[in-house]
Amino acid sequence: MRNGFGTRAIHAGQSPDPSTGAIMTPVYLTSTYVQEAPAKHKGYVYARGDNPTRRALEACLADLEGGTRCVATSSGLAAATIVLTDLGAGTRVVAGDDLYGGTRRLFERVFRRWGVAADYVDSSDLDALRAALDAGPTSLVWLETPTNPLLKVTDLRAACDLARARGAPVLVDNTFASPYLQRPLESGADIVLHSLTKYLGGHSDLVGGALVVRDAARAERYAFLANATGPVPGPLDCFLVLRGLKTLHVRMERHCDNAEAVVAFLRGHPKVRRVFHPSLPDQPGHAVARRQMARFGAMVSVEIDGSVEHAKRFASATKLFALAESLGGVESLIEHPATMTHASVPAEERRRAGFLDGLLRLSVGIEDADDLVADLDGAFQATYR
Ligand SMILES: *Cc1c(COP(=O)(O)O)cnc(C)c1O
């Protein structure tokens, strides 16, 4: 029988070092590997191509996502770059309209020039997704669920069925959920993309990315591109992600507990207009999230009373929730998407995707829930004083 998620998060792809018995995978700080005779080696030639610490991380991630192979990269956007480079000119991506801002920038300001067109659609609306797929040949469907920053939920199985019927592979950026909460390959997706910078690293101390796939030919192409174009992760970063993965299941449970406490507080607060979180029964994607996620995640967005100025004041008034971009670390963060993470998305498109300039986004950490709620309470008092 297959071991459970927590056991695999700690052990998959890792065994004690054969030469010393070291229980932890060593950080192989080396650029090259000595060969016994020309082209006679132990499977490692040069460190851009492969590294044992990286290999352990890739094996662990492939296992946790239910894939056959993983290619780790120097950042989440490096992973995205490999996928788009593989597509090449004359292709069209149908992508969610509420994507991570940097992914959107990569589509619009880099790959459009190289002939990769992107059409955006609210993928939580399956009729709209079907229409977008039928509007032209589709080379790839690019989904995020829950989305950023509106926490909209796409039905992965239904979306993958629509794409497969039209011969289009599906990529899911699973950064917000992590494989502990959601495994897109099990719903029919072909590619999972991660920013390891977020929950998988989990401690806000590195930047990294990964692609996990099932198909061997696709894996070969991505591994080739990683080596040929060079955005590979260093061994110390790989070690740090391996260390983070060992507590992923424990951290995610606490992240979700705390997010639920924060959501309950915000929902009851008189200065709150609207809370965005998939746990809320009045959120359109709630039923789908309940089906396809183990829990609802720890990203929460909120609209508070007043103007953009009130939102900015609030974001500067929290003490435990640090004002910073990024997410998924053990510490709580707050940010203002319109001027921070999503500033590169044109205002008109932000509005079309459905978010107001006053929106705030929280990454709820694993501190004590009472302290987090008290911090938010204090920020309301400071904002409306
Ligand atoms: C951060 C993030 C990325 C980009 O990852 P980097 O590691 O910062 O390059 C992509 N997608 C999502 C959902 C993210 O949150």
Side-chain angles (χ1 to χ4, degrees):
M1 209 188 80
R2 194 160 187 233
N3 284 323
F5 187 96
T7 305
R8 290 182 286 121
I10 294 168
H11 294 287
Q14 297 154 81
S15 42
D17 176 44
S19 60
T20 63
I23 192 160
M24 285 300 126
T25 304
V27 184
Y28 285 90
L29 287 166
T30 189
S31 62
T32 193
Y33 307 88
V34 175
Q35 309 195 3
E36 232 173 85
K40 186 155 183 257
H41 52 72
K42 297 178 165 60
Y44 296 93
V45 175
Y46 181 66
R48 178 166 19 75
D50 210 347
N51 174 287
T53 318
R54 193 200 313 169
R55 211 185 261 192
L57 170 63
E58 290 173 337
C60 190
L61 286 171
D63 185 291
L64 295 181
E65 282 289 359
T68 56
R69 208 158 148 203
C70 167
V71 175
T73 57
S74 57
S75 70
L77 287 181
T81 298
I82 285 175
V83 172
L84 295 175
T85 305
D86 178 60
L87 282 184
T91 53
R92 182 179 82 113
V93 179
V94 170
D97 64 358
D98 189 19
L99 293 184
Y100 175 69
T103 304
R104 176 86 175 217
R105 182 177 59 196
L106 185 67
F107 281 129
E108 291 308 311
R109 299 195 41 201
V110 182
F111 277 92
R112 196 171 280 284
R113 286 194 288 133
W114 293 96
V116 181
D119 290 333
Y120 303 98
V121 61
D122 177 355
S123 59
S124 66
D125 176 346
L126 292 171
D127 291 329
L129 178 61
R130 186 183 297 109
L133 290 171
D134 288 337
T138 308
S139 316
L140 180 67
V141 178
W142 192 295
L143 302 174
E144 276 181 36
T145 179
T147 63
N148 180 6
L150 290 178
L151 290 313
K152 287 193 286 196
V153 174
T154 291
D155 183 334
L156 286 176
R157 187 163 299 277
C160 290
D161 285 348
L162 286 175
R164 184 168 322 101
R166 290 154 182 83
V170 176
L171 177 149
V172 178
D173 180 336
N174 204 27
T175 300
F176 267 38
S178 90
Y180 182 67
L181 299 181
Q182 167 176 289
R183 286 176 296 282
L185 298 179
E186 291 174 2
S187 298
D190 300 275
I191 309 155
V192 165
L193 183 148
H194 274 290
S195 170
L196 303 177
T197 317
K198 316 295 168 52
Y199 288 105
L200 300 191
H203 296 74
S204 307
D205 52 9
L206 64 100
V207 172
L211 297 165
V212 183
V213 302
R214 274 184 316 208
D215 177 60
R218 182 181 295 282
E220 271 312 311
R221 297 204 305 277
Y222 291 170
F224 167 80
L225 283 170
N227 183 45
T229 68
V232 298
L236 183 57
D237 288 343
C238 292
F239 173 86
L240 288 171
V241 181
L242 275 170
R243 170 194 268 231
L245 287 176
K246 291 180 194 297
T247 55
L248 178 65
H249 51 301
V250 183
R251 285 187 286 112
M252 291 313 291
E253 288 290 345
R254 179 64 172 258
H255 276 296
C256 292
D257 288 345
N258 283 359
E260 285 165 22
V262 163
V263 166
F265 167 74
L266 291 173
R267 286 274 275 195
H269 199 283
K271 292 292 187 190
V272 168
R273 275 193 210 143
R274 189 155 173 213
V275 181
F276 299 83
H277 190 251
S279 67
L280 296 169
D282 55 3
Q283 180 122 348
H286 173 71
V288 175
R290 184 171 280 287
R291 195 163 3 108
Q292 77 186 10
M293 301 178 75
R295 294 189 68 180
F296 298 106
M299 297 304 296
V300 179
S301 291
V302 58
E303 258 167 39
I304 62 172
D305 268 355
S307 64
V308 179
E309 286 317 308
H310 288 89
K312 288 189 184 168
R313 212 181 296 162
F314 188 93
S316 309
T318 52
K319 296 195 169 71
L320 284 175
F321 282 86
L323 178 59
E325 300 200 3
S326 198
L327 59 109
V330 291
E331 67 291 315
S332 294
L333 301 178
I334 186 167
E335 67 115 359
H336 178 233
T339 57
M340 294 171 65
T341 49
H342 289 64
S344 64
V345 178
E348 189 200 318
E349 286 178 33
R350 288 202 300 267
R351 267 193 301 280
R352 202 180 314 139
F355 81 93
L356 303 173
D357 284 348
L359 190 78
L360 293 167
R361 190 189 79 180
L362 307 177
S363 170
V364 180
I366 64 171
E367 300 94 335
D368 289 300
D370 290 349
D371 294 333
L372 296 179
V373 166
D375 190 36
L376 296 172
D377 200 22
F380 276 117
Q381 288 167 31
T383 302
Y384 298 102
R385 194 166 36 217

